[in-house]
Amino acid sequence: MEQFVPADRSLSVCRRICYAAGHFLNDLCASMWFTYLLVYFHSVLGFQSTYAGVMLLIGQIADGVCTPLVGYESDRTPGIYGKRKSWHLLGTVCVCVSFPFIFNPCLACHDNAPQWAQIVYFSPFIIVFQFGWAATQISHLSLIPELVSTESGKVELTAYRYAFTVVANITVYAVAWLLFHFQAQHNVDPSITDAALGKVDIPLFRTLALIMLGTGALFSLIFHVGTKENASTSGTERQLITPSTSQEALPRPVFQWNNWLKEPSFYQMAFLYMCTRLIVNLSQTYISLYLTNSLMLPKNFIAIIPLVMYFSGFVCSLAMKPVSKLIGISITYLAGLLLVLGFATWVFVDKNIASERIYGAAVVLGSGSATILVMSLSMTATLIGERTQSGAFVYGSMSFTDKVANGVGVILIQSFRPCSTEACCPDCVWFYRDVMVTVTGGVAVAAALCLFTILIWPIRIQNS
């Protein structure tokens, strides 16, 4: 009886690029979601700070609930078109039909409509968007251990994926900067150029969202055309794995989703991934408010500084494969944490950080965030290994922890904000600085403690 033995799979550069392009739409939308959602609803549309936080919380909870469910269903989907690519296509459609309505004022509301009514209006679009985003993310991540089998190959494919993430963020911030620049040039009143954000910026954010949506849809098409989901990794062929063809093939139980719940390494990675995403997402969410309210910088800096962060992250991602191969994934992750802690210390000590020095701090944060994100995804792929039948459940569970934690974190921060109105009081100057220090330095310490447990008890599956 012929047996199936997992081979060492490798991809051409072209196929790696086509694969990495598959998350570009998600990355563009996520960049706008985390960087500009609070700014848009609070500073542009005039929502109270708590209500603005509620909007983000709704999205994070919806995403958190959808991710494990999508992961579970994706593992069970028959591979006609490709069980991963089918969910990816569904997710892409949902994102495309819902995202434009989020960065557009309520079409069914009058000028004096209560904010709770506008929340009811935006909520269905946010939920559909987050379902689509989750379906695309989980299906895309689940392809990594199915397309490549070696640890270095997984790191490399994850690095390709992150490189596209960085390019997506750079695209968002570069286009945003251009739109701010054009707005200033065509403004009749020169005094509005460096003014705070307001309703005058509604067309700018709407245009930005539409440009990102069209660009991302094109890259999703490249993914579907250029990525082939292996038939041997989307069915039940992996159930027969034996060491030698000279022995009779014995059926081996498939590693199901509930088996992961018995593995300590599963919980180690879930906590580490949650901390990683808290650092990356919350720093991305509050960097704009820190720049405008704490440092009192012009509004075009909410495009310039994130652009510097992600450009430095892109440069850093190019060196991750050789570095991680030399010193190991865990030590590389630790190096990224040290950079994040360096940023937190810089912001805390340099209370009146000048506009020139903020560029240096942005480089440090961007490099550290890129490192810990790529390494945490590589560690998750290592955890899954050849147990790809339930790989989507693992990614979905990891994503669930980070989405819920991010949503709760934002709503708590918004609730503690000194003033809830659109205008920012003097106390907000210190508030947003403390937020940046806490979500980077504080969470980085928690991640370091978790990493030390992984160094003491390395990632391994005991019941496989």
Side-chain angles (χ1 to χ4, degrees):
M1 183 176 181
E2 190 175 353
Q3 305 143 15
F4 174 78
V5 180
D8 182 13
R9 300 176 297 278
S10 60
L11 296 176
S12 65
V13 174
C14 181
R15 287 192 65 189
R16 290 176 204 160
I17 293 174
C18 288
Y19 164 78
H23 207 253
F24 200 69
L25 173 62
N26 261 22
D27 291 328
L28 292 171
C29 294
S31 180
M32 286 198 64
W33 173 267
F34 284 110
T35 308
Y36 295 135
L37 188 81
L38 288 184
V39 172
Y40 178 73
F41 278 99
H42 179 62
S43 300
V44 177
L45 296 186
F47 275 55
Q48 292 184 11
S49 60
T50 304
Y51 284 163
V54 167
M55 301 298 291
L56 195 142
L57 177 63
I58 291 172
Q60 295 306 104
I61 291 178
D63 196 352
V65 171
C66 288
T67 43
L69 296 178
V70 168
Y72 175 73
E73 289 297 328
S74 175
D75 289 330
R76 300 173 62 220
T77 301
I80 300 173
Y81 173 61
K83 64 179 182 178
R84 309 305 185 192
K85 289 178 66 177
S86 297
W87 280 93
H88 187 284
L89 181 60
L90 175 62
T92 300
V93 172
C94 291
V95 169
C96 288
V97 299
S98 60
F99 191 72
F101 292 95
I102 298 175
F103 283 91
N104 202 46
C106 176
L107 300 178
C109 305
H110 53 78
D111 293 339
N112 297 322
Q115 293 184 2
W116 65 263
Q118 297 187 55
I119 291 178
V120 172
Y121 167 84
F122 283 111
S123 294
F125 298 113
I126 290 177
I127 292 172
V128 172
F129 162 67
Q130 292 292 359
F131 166 79
W133 201 95
T136 304
Q137 180 203 33
I138 299 306
S139 58
H140 195 256
L141 282 171
S142 302
L143 279 170
I144 293 178
E146 297 187 359
L147 294 176
V148 293
S149 57
T150 64
E151 183 173 307
S152 62
K154 292 170 185 176
V155 172
E156 185 175 23
L157 200 57
T158 304
Y160 269 83
R161 186 179 185 274
Y162 185 75
F164 268 80
T165 299
V166 174
V167 172
N169 282 274
I170 290 174
T171 302
V172 170
Y173 302 133
V175 174
W177 178 82
L178 287 173
L179 291 175
F180 278 121
H181 180 70
F182 292 149
Q183 181 195 59
Q185 279 195 333
H186 293 83
N187 224 314
V188 178
D189 185 359
S191 64
I192 301 179
T193 301
D194 291 339
L197 291 162
K199 291 188 182 297
V200 68
D201 298 301
I202 289 176
L204 186 148
F205 284 97
R206 179 172 56 228
T207 303
L208 180 62
L210 292 175
I211 292 174
M212 295 306 106
L213 201 63
T215 305
L218 177 62
F219 277 81
S220 294
L221 178 62
I222 294 173
F223 164 78
H224 280 275
V225 172
T227 301
K228 182 181 179 182
E229 186 173 345
N230 297 326
S232 61
T233 60
S234 59
T236 59
E237 291 86 348
R238 286 182 175 272
Q239 296 181 25
L240 299 179
I241 304 177
T242 54
S244 172
T245 57
S246 62
Q247 302 174 349
E248 184 181 355
L250 297 175
R252 182 177 181 179
V254 175
F255 204 83
Q256 302 287 356
W257 67 271
N258 54 331
N259 297 122
W260 288 107
L261 304 179
K262 304 173 186 176
E263 299 294 336
S265 292
F266 175 78
Y267 298 99
Q268 285 177 296
M269 274 309 308
F271 186 80
L272 188 70
Y273 186 78
M274 180 190 71
C275 291
T276 301
R277 280 295 185 178
L278 278 173
I279 293 170
V280 174
N281 293 342
L282 290 185
S283 63
Q284 186 177 1
T285 299
Y286 285 98
I287 188 68
S288 297
L289 294 168
Y290 170 66
L291 294 170
T292 55
N293 294 331
S294 295
L295 302 184
M296 305 297 180
L297 296 173
K299 62 184 180 182
N300 63 331
F301 269 77
I302 69 173
I304 297 173
I305 296 304
L307 182 62
V308 172
M309 287 172 52
Y310 278 93
F311 183 78
S312 61
F314 174 74
V315 174
C316 185
S317 67
L318 300 177
M320 285 185 194
K321 183 184 177 182
V323 171
S324 64
K325 226 176 169 182
L326 180 66
I327 64 176
I329 295 177
S330 297
I331 303 302
T332 306
Y333 184 94
L334 179 60
L337 280 183
L338 293 177
L339 288 173
V340 173
L341 285 169
F343 168 83
T345 304
W346 190 338
V347 171
F348 181 76
V349 173
D350 194 355
K351 297 183 179 180
N352 298 314
I353 186 169
S355 58
E356 296 81 12
R357 294 196 297 275
I358 192 62
Y359 288 100
V363 170
V364 173
L365 179 59
S367 301
S369 297
T371 302
I372 62 175
L373 183 56
V374 172
M375 291 301 105
S376 65
L377 289 173
S378 300
M379 292 165 76
T380 305
T382 300
L383 171 69
I384 295 172
E386 294 295 335
R387 294 164 288 275
T388 58
Q389 308 96 333
S390 53
F393 172 78
V394 176
Y395 284 116
S397 301
M398 302 294 164
S399 188
F400 172 79
T401 61
D402 99 75
K403 296 303 187 305
V404 174
N406 275 289
V408 173
V410 166
I411 198 65
L412 287 175
I413 292 171
Q414 293 300 104
S415 300
F416 287 124
R417 187 177 184 267
C419 47
S420 61
T421 59
E422 180 179 349
C424 190
C425 64
D427 291 337
C428 290
V429 174
W430 300 111
F431 176 75
Y432 286 116
R433 188 211 65 166
D434 293 341
V435 167
M436 289 301 296
V437 171
T438 303
V439 301
T440 53
V443 181
V445 171
L449 294 175
C450 181
L451 181 65
F452 289 141
T453 69
I454 293 176
L455 293 174
I456 297 173
W457 299 287
I459 295 175
R460 62 170 59 94
I461 302 302
Q462 301 174 356
N463 301 313
S464 61

